[in-house]
Amino acid sequence: MTTVFPVPALNDNYVWVITDDHGHCAVVDPGEAAPVVEALRARNLTLDAILVTHHHPDHQGGVGGVLKYAEVPVYGPAAESIRHRTHALREGDVVRLDTLGLELGVLETPGHTAGHISLYGHGLLFSGDTLFAGGCGRLFEGTPEQMMQSLSKLTELPADTNVYAGHEYTLANLRFAHRVEPDNDALSERVEAVQALRARGECTMPSTLEEELRTNPFLRSGVDAVRRNAEQYAGKRLSSPVDVFATVRAWKDAS
Ligand SMILES: [Zn+2]
């Protein structure tokens, strides 16, 4: 059986470890090596692959260090500079992790960075800094249009897909979401649930795409209440969902 667990790294990053019952594993976005190596040693796991979603140092800075633990293939986006990369990934490619019995499809999801990829398979989505629980990544290298398109590509996946994102930003994201949509009951419930998890120091992921669609303001630009509140923030009418999305993103950046 496939299981996924987080290794907290740096300030608020998660390195996701995908493992099975036979002691094999792959890691996603090792921004830091030491906690990853420690976690693999503690569980006596054999590392078979490293996967990287985008070039930011907090997602690939530990690749070299992890390679000292085990010399394994490094998969990363073709369009970005990923140190130690052995396999360059593009839209539609499939990463076959035979020892884990896993196939992960590659989705190009630009917006946060120009070449950002997400990986999906077996009901698992590794969304890096594109889709967060309750939010989305900042637009460092892309446009609102690109990010919206990337997010809608992800939300076309099955609703019960488990979402594993790169950071523990969920509570801050949901507190902001609540300002955008104060009357969304599903959101109020999620804020409480996530608050309880964080109070116990627990990880707030995975979420599901269904949960995200109901509560993540960046997936809800077409919802009337989101548009109205974004218009109030902007002080003008917003004629298209992408204008709503861009306004909510700017609002979050400023808050
Ligand atoms: Zn990033």
Side-chain angles (χ1 to χ4, degrees):
M1 205 186 82
T2 303
T3 52
V4 180
F5 67 87
V7 174
L10 303 168
N11 287 333
D12 46 32
N13 280 76
Y14 285 131
V15 182
W16 294 106
V17 181
I18 313 168
T19 184
D20 63 6
D21 300 329
H22 312 289
H24 287 271
C25 75
V27 299
V28 182
D29 283 352
E32 191 182 12
V36 176
V37 170
E38 196 178 310
L40 301 192
R41 281 215 175 102
R43 292 172 174 79
N44 203 17
L45 292 172
T46 302
L47 182 67
D48 292 324
I50 296 171
L51 309 167
V52 176
T53 61
H54 66 292
H55 70 84
H56 285 158
D58 60 320
H59 292 256
Q60 65 154 328
V63 170
V66 174
L67 286 173
K68 288 187 188 132
Y69 171 79
E71 279 261 356
V72 297
V74 178
Y75 297 84
E80 297 195 348
S81 163
I82 308 294
R83 290 191 64 207
H84 310 287
R85 185 186 60 206
T86 58
H87 294 65
L89 301 176
R90 295 180 190 284
E91 177 80 22
D93 285 349
V94 175
V95 178
R96 292 195 169 78
L97 303 170
D98 291 336
T99 50
L100 288 163
L102 279 186
E103 292 189 355
L104 298 173
V106 176
L107 299 159
E108 287 178 354
T109 50
H112 177 68
T113 61
H116 193 296
I117 58 165
S118 299
L119 296 153
Y120 170 76
H122 309 266
L124 315 172
L125 172 64
F126 298 94
S127 57
D129 287 358
T130 297
L131 175 62
F132 288 129
C136 78
R138 281 176 184 256
L139 306 180
F140 287 121
E141 298 174 14
T143 63
E145 286 85 354
Q146 271 180 322
M147 187 55 130
M148 247 190 117
Q149 209 171 6
S150 294
L151 292 170
S152 58
K153 197 187 270 189
L154 299 183
T155 55
E156 278 164 21
L157 297 170
D160 61 355
T161 297
N162 285 312
V163 180
Y164 300 88
H167 291 268
E168 182 58 70
Y169 288 161
T170 315
L171 188 53
N173 284 341
L174 293 176
R175 283 182 174 147
F176 170 74
H178 202 251
R179 292 171 62 195
V180 180
E181 258 192 297
D183 299 326
N184 179 337
D185 291 341
L187 177 55
S188 307
E189 281 168 30
R190 192 176 180 195
V191 172
E192 275 184 36
V194 162
Q195 245 162 355
L197 283 172
R198 293 309 294 151
R200 298 196 296 269
E202 288 176 30
C203 174
T204 60
M205 283 174 276
S207 64
T208 64
L209 280 179
E210 186 177 13
E211 246 182 309
E212 296 307 326
L213 285 164
R214 288 168 53 154
T215 56
N216 186 328
F218 296 99
L219 306 179
R220 296 171 61 78
S221 299
V223 173
D224 272 349
V226 173
R227 182 181 47 78
R228 278 199 310 273
N229 287 322
E231 284 178 341
Q232 199 166 18
Y233 174 78
K236 61 176 183 187
R237 288 215 52 184
L238 301 169
S239 51
S240 70
V242 73
D243 289 339
V244 174
F245 176 85
T247 300
V248 174
R249 186 61 263 177
W251 185 1
K252 174 72 165 66
D253 290 346
S255 65

Coordinates of all heavy atoms in Angstrom, one line a residue, residues 3-70:
T3 N 1.8 4.9 1.0 CA 1.5 5.9 2.0 C 2.4 7.1 1.7 O 3.5 7.0 1.1 CB 1.7 5.4 3.4 OG1 3.0 4.9 3.5 CG2 0.7 4.4 3.9
V4 N 1.9 8.3 2.2 CA 2.7 9.5 2.0 C 2.8 10.2 3.4 O 1.8 10.3 4.1 CB 1.9 10.4 1.0 CG1 2.7 11.7 0.8 CG2 1.7 9.8 -0.3
F5 N 4.0 10.6 3.7 CA 4.2 11.3 5.0 C 5.0 12.5 4.8 O 5.9 12.6 3.9 CB 4.7 10.4 6.1 CG 6.1 9.9 6.0 CD1 7.2 10.7 6.5 CD2 6.3 8.7 5.4 CE1 8.4 10.2 6.3 CE2 7.6 8.2 5.3 CZ 8.7 9.0 5.8
P6 N 4.8 13.6 5.6 CA 5.6 14.8 5.5 C 6.8 14.8 6.3 O 6.8 14.3 7.4 CB 4.6 15.9 6.0 CG 3.8 15.2 7.0 CD 3.8 13.7 6.6
V7 N 7.9 15.4 5.8 CA 9.1 15.7 6.6 C 9.2 17.2 6.6 O 9.4 17.8 5.6 CB 10.4 15.1 6.0 CG1 11.6 15.6 6.8 CG2 10.3 13.6 5.9
P8 N 8.9 17.8 7.8 CA 9.0 19.3 7.8 C 10.5 19.7 7.6 O 11.4 19.1 8.1 CB 8.6 19.6 9.3 CG 7.8 18.4 9.7 CD 8.5 17.2 9.0
A9 N 10.6 20.8 6.8 CA 12.0 21.3 6.5 C 11.9 22.8 6.4 O 10.9 23.4 6.2 CB 12.4 20.7 5.1
L10 N 13.1 23.4 6.7 CA 13.3 24.8 6.7 C 12.2 25.4 7.6 O 11.9 24.8 8.6 CB 13.2 25.4 5.2 CG 14.3 24.8 4.3 CD1 14.1 25.1 2.8 CD2 15.7 25.2 4.7
N11 N 11.6 26.6 7.2 CA 10.6 27.2 8.1 C 9.3 26.5 8.1 O 8.7 26.2 9.1 CB 10.4 28.7 7.7 CG 11.6 29.5 8.1 OD1 12.3 29.2 9.0 ND2 11.9 30.6 7.3
D12 N 8.7 26.4 6.9 CA 7.4 25.8 6.8 C 7.2 25.0 5.5 O 6.1 24.8 5.1 CB 6.4 27.0 6.7 CG 6.8 28.1 5.8 OD1 7.4 27.8 4.8 OD2 6.5 29.3 6.1
N13 N 8.3 24.4 5.0 CA 8.2 23.5 3.9 C 7.9 22.1 4.3 O 8.2 21.7 5.5 CB 9.6 23.4 3.1 CG 9.8 24.6 2.2 OD1 10.1 25.7 2.7 ND2 9.6 24.4 0.9
Y14 N 7.3 21.4 3.4 CA 7.1 19.9 3.6 C 7.9 19.2 2.5 O 7.7 19.5 1.3 CB 5.7 19.5 3.6 CG 4.9 19.8 4.8 CD1 3.6 20.4 4.7 CD2 5.4 19.5 6.1 CE1 2.9 20.7 5.9 CE2 4.6 19.7 7.2 CZ 3.4 20.4 7.1 OH 2.6 20.6 8.2
V15 N 8.7 18.2 2.8 CA 9.2 17.3 1.8 C 8.3 16.1 2.0 O 8.1 15.5 3.0 CB 10.7 16.9 2.1 CG1 11.2 16.0 1.1 CG2 11.5 18.1 2.3
W16 N 7.6 15.7 0.8 CA 6.7 14.5 0.9 C 7.5 13.3 0.6 O 8.2 13.2 -0.4 CB 5.6 14.7 0.0 CG 4.7 15.9 0.4 CD1 4.6 17.1 -0.2 CD2 3.8 15.9 1.5 NE1 3.7 17.9 0.5 CE2 3.2 17.2 1.5 CE3 3.4 15.0 2.5 CZ2 2.3 17.6 2.5 CZ3 2.5 15.4 3.5 CH2 2.0 16.7 3.4
V17 N 7.3 12.3 1.4 CA 7.9 11.0 1.2 C 6.8 10.0 0.8 O 5.8 9.8 1.6 CB 8.6 10.5 2.5 CG1 9.3 9.1 2.2 CG2 9.7 11.5 2.9
I18 N 7.0 9.4 -0.4 CA 6.0 8.4 -0.9 C 6.6 7.0 -0.6 O 7.7 6.8 -1.1 CB 5.7 8.6 -2.4 CG1 5.5 10.0 -2.7 CG2 4.6 7.7 -2.8 CD1 5.6 10.3 -4.3
T19 N 5.9 6.2 0.1 CA 6.5 4.9 0.4 C 5.5 3.8 0.3 O 4.3 4.0 0.0 CB 7.2 5.0 1.9 OG1 7.8 3.8 2.1 CG2 6.1 5.2 2.9
D20 N 6.0 2.6 0.4 CA 5.2 1.4 0.3 C 5.4 0.5 1.5 O 6.1 0.8 2.5 CB 5.4 0.7 -1.0 CG 6.8 0.1 -1.1 OD1 7.6 0.2 -0.1 OD2 7.2 -0.4 -2.2
D21 N 4.9 -0.8 1.4 CA 5.1 -1.7 2.6 C 6.4 -2.4 2.5 O 6.7 -3.1 3.4 CB 4.0 -2.8 2.5 CG 2.6 -2.1 2.6 OD1 2.5 -1.1 3.3 OD2 1.6 -2.7 2.0
H22 N 7.2 -2.2 1.4 CA 8.4 -2.9 1.3 C 9.7 -2.1 1.5 O 10.8 -2.5 1.2 CB 8.5 -3.6 -0.1 CG 7.2 -4.3 -0.5 ND1 6.8 -5.4 0.1 CD2 6.2 -3.9 -1.4 CE1 5.6 -5.8 -0.4 NE2 5.3 -4.9 -1.3
G23 N 9.5 -0.9 2.1 CA 10.6 -0.1 2.5 C 11.3 0.7 1.4 O 12.4 1.2 1.5
H24 N 10.6 0.9 0.2 CA 11.0 1.7 -0.8 C 10.4 3.1 -0.7 O 9.3 3.2 -0.1 CB 10.8 1.1 -2.2 CG 11.6 0.0 -2.5 ND1 12.9 0.1 -3.1 CD2 11.5 -1.3 -2.3 CE1 13.4 -1.1 -3.2 NE2 12.6 -2.0 -2.7
C25 N 11.0 4.1 -1.2 CA 10.4 5.4 -1.2 C 10.9 6.4 -2.3 O 12.0 6.1 -2.9 CB 10.6 6.1 0.2 SG 12.2 6.7 0.5
A26 N 10.2 7.4 -2.5 CA 10.6 8.6 -3.3 C 10.3 9.8 -2.5 O 9.4 9.8 -1.7 CB 9.8 8.6 -4.6
V27 N 11.1 10.9 -2.7 CA 10.8 12.1 -2.0 C 10.5 13.2 -3.0 O 11.1 13.3 -4.1 CB 12.0 12.5 -1.1 CG1 12.3 11.5 0.0 CG2 13.3 12.8 -1.9
V28 N 9.6 14.1 -2.6 CA 9.2 15.3 -3.4 C 9.7 16.6 -2.8 O 9.4 16.8 -1.6 CB 7.7 15.3 -3.5 CG1 7.3 16.5 -4.5 CG2 7.1 14.0 -4.1
D29 N 10.4 17.3 -3.5 CA 10.9 18.7 -3.2 C 11.7 18.8 -1.9 O 11.4 19.4 -0.9 CB 9.7 19.6 -3.0 CG 9.1 20.1 -4.3 OD1 9.7 19.8 -5.4 OD2 8.0 20.7 -4.3
P30 N 12.9 18.1 -1.9 CA 13.8 18.2 -0.7 C 14.5 19.5 -0.7 O 15.6 19.6 -1.2 CB 14.7 17.0 -0.9 CG 14.8 16.8 -2.4 CD 13.4 17.2 -2.9
G31 N 13.9 20.5 0.0 CA 14.5 21.8 0.1 C 15.7 21.8 1.1 O 16.5 22.7 1.1
E32 N 15.7 20.7 1.9 CA 16.8 20.6 2.9 C 17.1 19.1 3.0 O 16.1 18.3 3.0 CB 16.3 21.1 4.2 CG 17.3 21.3 5.3 CD 16.6 21.8 6.6 OE1 15.4 21.8 6.8 OE2 17.4 22.2 7.5
A33 N 18.4 18.7 3.1 CA 18.7 17.3 3.1 C 18.6 16.6 4.5 O 18.1 15.5 4.6 CB 20.1 17.1 2.5
A34 N 19.1 17.3 5.5 CA 19.3 16.6 6.8 C 18.1 16.0 7.4 O 18.1 14.8 7.7 CB 20.0 17.6 7.8
P35 N 16.9 16.7 7.5 CA 15.7 16.1 8.0 C 15.2 14.9 7.2 O 14.6 14.0 7.7 CB 14.7 17.2 8.1 CG 15.2 18.3 7.2 CD 16.7 18.1 7.1
V36 N 15.4 15.0 5.9 CA 15.0 14.0 5.0 C 15.8 12.7 5.2 O 15.3 11.6 5.4 CB 15.1 14.4 3.5 CG1 14.7 13.3 2.6 CG2 14.2 15.6 3.2
V37 N 17.1 12.9 5.2 CA 18.0 11.7 5.4 C 17.7 11.1 6.8 O 17.7 9.8 6.9 CB 19.5 12.1 5.3 CG1 20.4 11.0 5.7 CG2 19.8 12.6 3.8
E38 N 17.5 11.9 7.8 CA 17.2 11.4 9.1 C 15.9 10.6 9.1 O 15.9 9.5 9.7 CB 17.1 12.6 10.0 CG 17.2 12.3 11.5 CD 17.1 13.6 12.3 OE1 17.8 14.6 12.0 OE2 16.2 13.7 13.2
A39 N 14.9 11.1 8.4 CA 13.6 10.4 8.4 C 13.7 9.1 7.7 O 13.2 8.1 8.1 CB 12.6 11.3 7.7
L40 N 14.5 9.0 6.6 CA 14.7 7.8 5.8 C 15.5 6.8 6.6 O 15.1 5.6 6.6 CB 15.4 8.1 4.5 CG 14.7 9.1 3.5 CD1 15.3 9.0 2.1 CD2 13.2 8.8 3.4
R41 N 16.5 7.3 7.3 CA 17.3 6.3 8.1 C 16.5 5.8 9.2 O 16.5 4.6 9.5 CB 18.5 7.1 8.7 CG 19.7 7.3 7.7 CD 21.0 7.2 8.4 NE 22.1 7.3 7.4 CZ 22.8 8.4 7.1 NH1 22.6 9.5 7.8 NH2 23.7 8.4 6.2
A42 N 15.7 6.6 9.9 CA 14.9 6.2 11.1 C 13.9 5.1 10.7 O 13.7 4.2 11.5 CB 14.2 7.4 11.7
R43 N 13.4 5.2 9.4 CA 12.5 4.2 9.0 C 13.1 3.1 8.1 O 12.4 2.2 7.6 CB 11.3 4.9 8.2 CG 10.5 5.8 9.0 CD 9.5 6.6 8.1 NE 8.6 7.3 8.9 CZ 8.8 8.5 9.4 NH1 10.0 9.0 9.4 NH2 7.8 9.2 10.1
N44 N 14.4 3.2 8.0 CA 15.2 2.2 7.2 C 14.6 2.1 5.8 O 14.4 1.0 5.2 CB 15.1 0.8 7.9 CG 16.3 -0.1 7.5 OD1 17.3 0.4 6.9 ND2 16.1 -1.3 7.7
L45 N 14.4 3.2 5.1 CA 13.8 3.3 3.8 C 14.9 3.3 2.7 O 15.9 4.0 2.9 CB 12.9 4.5 3.6 CG 11.6 4.5 4.5 CD1 10.9 5.8 4.4 CD2 10.7 3.3 4.0
T46 N 14.6 2.6 1.6 CA 15.5 2.7 0.5 C 15.0 3.7 -0.5 O 13.8 3.6 -0.9 CB 15.5 1.3 -0.3 OG1 15.9 0.3 0.6 CG2 16.4 1.3 -1.5
L47 N 15.8 4.7 -0.7 CA 15.3 5.8 -1.6 C 15.5 5.4 -3.1 O 16.6 4.9 -3.5 CB 16.1 7.1 -1.3 CG 15.7 8.3 -2.2 CD1 14.3 8.8 -1.8 CD2 16.7 9.4 -2.0
D48 N 14.5 5.6 -3.9 CA 14.6 5.2 -5.3 C 14.5 6.4 -6.3 O 14.9 6.3 -7.4 CB 13.4 4.3 -5.7 CG 13.6 2.9 -5.0 OD1 14.7 2.5 -4.9 OD2 12.6 2.3 -4.5
A49 N 14.0 7.5 -5.8 CA 13.9 8.7 -6.7 C 13.7 10.0 -6.0 O 13.1 10.0 -4.9 CB 12.7 8.5 -7.7
I50 N 14.1 11.1 -6.6 CA 13.8 12.4 -6.1 C 13.0 13.1 -7.2 O 13.4 13.1 -8.3 CB 15.1 13.2 -5.8 CG1 15.9 12.5 -4.7 CG2 14.9 14.7 -5.4 CD1 17.4 13.1 -4.5
L51 N 11.9 13.8 -6.7 CA 11.1 14.5 -7.7 C 11.1 16.0 -7.2 O 11.0 16.3 -6.0 CB 9.6 14.0 -7.6 CG 9.5 12.5 -7.7 CD1 8.1 12.0 -7.4 CD2 9.8 12.1 -9.2
V52 N 11.2 16.9 -8.2 CA 11.2 18.3 -7.9 C 10.2 19.0 -8.7 O 10.1 18.8 -9.9 CB 12.6 18.9 -8.2 CG1 12.7 20.4 -7.9 CG2 13.7 18.2 -7.3
T53 N 9.4 19.9 -8.1 CA 8.3 20.6 -8.8 C 8.7 21.9 -9.5 O 8.2 22.3 -10.5 CB 7.1 20.9 -7.9 OG1 7.5 21.8 -6.8 CG2 6.5 19.7 -7.3
H54 N 9.7 22.6 -8.8 CA 10.2 23.9 -9.4 C 11.5 24.3 -8.8 O 12.0 23.6 -7.9 CB 9.1 25.0 -9.3 CG 8.8 25.4 -7.9 ND1 8.2 24.6 -7.0 CD2 9.1 26.6 -7.2 CE1 8.0 25.3 -5.8 NE2 8.6 26.5 -6.0
H55 N 12.1 25.3 -9.4 CA 13.5 25.6 -9.1 C 13.8 26.3 -7.8 O 15.0 26.4 -7.5 CB 14.1 26.4 -10.3 CG 13.6 27.8 -10.4 ND1 14.1 28.8 -9.7 CD2 12.6 28.3 -11.1 CE1 13.5 30.0 -10.0 NE2 12.5 29.7 -10.8
H56 N 12.8 26.8 -7.1 CA 13.1 27.5 -5.9 C 14.0 26.7 -4.9 O 13.7 25.5 -4.7 CB 11.8 28.0 -5.2 CG 11.2 29.2 -5.9 ND1 9.9 29.5 -5.8 CD2 11.7 30.1 -6.8 CE1 9.6 30.5 -6.6 NE2 10.7 30.9 -7.2
P57 N 15.0 27.4 -4.3 CA 15.9 26.7 -3.4 C 15.2 25.9 -2.2 O 15.7 24.9 -1.8 CB 16.8 27.8 -2.8 CG 16.6 28.9 -3.7 CD 15.3 28.8 -4.4
D58 N 14.1 26.4 -1.8 CA 13.4 25.7 -0.7 C 12.7 24.4 -1.2 O 12.1 23.7 -0.4 CB 12.4 26.6 0.1 CG 11.3 27.2 -0.8 OD1 11.6 27.5 -1.9 OD2 10.2 27.2 -0.3
H59 N 12.8 24.1 -2.5 CA 12.3 22.9 -3.0 C 13.3 22.0 -3.6 O 13.1 20.8 -3.7 CB 11.2 23.2 -4.1 CG 10.0 23.8 -3.5 ND1 8.8 23.2 -3.3 CD2 9.8 25.1 -3.0 CE1 7.9 24.0 -2.7 NE2 8.5 25.2 -2.5
Q60 N 14.5 22.5 -3.9 CA 15.6 21.7 -4.5 C 16.9 21.8 -3.8 O 17.8 21.1 -4.1 CB 15.7 22.0 -6.0 CG 16.2 23.4 -6.3 CD 17.0 23.4 -7.6 OE1 17.6 22.5 -8.0 NE2 16.9 24.6 -8.3
G61 N 17.0 22.7 -2.8 CA 18.3 22.9 -2.1 C 18.9 21.7 -1.4 O 20.1 21.7 -1.2
G62 N 18.1 20.7 -1.1 CA 18.6 19.5 -0.4 C 18.9 18.4 -1.3 O 19.3 17.3 -0.9
V63 N 18.7 18.5 -2.6 CA 18.9 17.4 -3.6 C 20.3 16.8 -3.5 O 20.5 15.6 -3.3 CB 18.5 17.8 -5.0 CG1 19.0 16.7 -6.0 CG2 17.1 18.1 -5.2
G64 N 21.3 17.7 -3.5 CA 22.7 17.2 -3.5 C 23.0 16.5 -2.2 O 23.6 15.4 -2.3
G65 N 22.5 16.9 -1.1 CA 22.7 16.3 0.2 C 22.0 14.9 0.2 O 22.5 13.9 0.8
V66 N 20.8 14.8 -0.3 CA 20.1 13.6 -0.3 C 20.8 12.6 -1.2 O 20.8 11.4 -0.9 CB 18.6 13.8 -0.7 CG1 17.9 12.4 -0.8 CG2 17.9 14.7 0.3
L67 N 21.4 13.1 -2.3 CA 22.1 12.2 -3.2 C 23.3 11.5 -2.6 O 23.7 10.4 -3.0 CB 22.5 12.9 -4.5 CG 21.4 13.2 -5.5 CD1 21.9 14.1 -6.6 CD2 20.7 12.0 -6.1
K68 N 23.8 12.2 -1.5 CA 24.9 11.5 -0.8 C 24.4 10.3 0.0 O 25.2 9.4 0.3 CB 25.6 12.6 0.2 CG 26.4 13.6 -0.6 CD 27.2 14.5 0.3 CE 27.8 15.6 -0.5 NZ 27.6 17.0 0.1
Y69 N 23.2 10.4 0.4 CA 22.6 9.2 1.1 C 22.3 8.1 0.1 O 22.5 6.9 0.4 CB 21.3 9.7 1.8 CG 20.4 8.6 2.4 CD1 20.7 8.0 3.6 CD2 19.2 8.1 1.7 CE1 19.9 7.1 4.2 CE2 18.4 7.2 2.2 CZ 18.8 6.6 3.5 OH 17.9 5.7 4.0
A70 N 21.8 8.4 -1.1 CA 21.6 7.4 -2.1 C 21.6 8.1 -3.5 O 21.0 9.1 -3.7 CB 20.2 6.8 -1.9

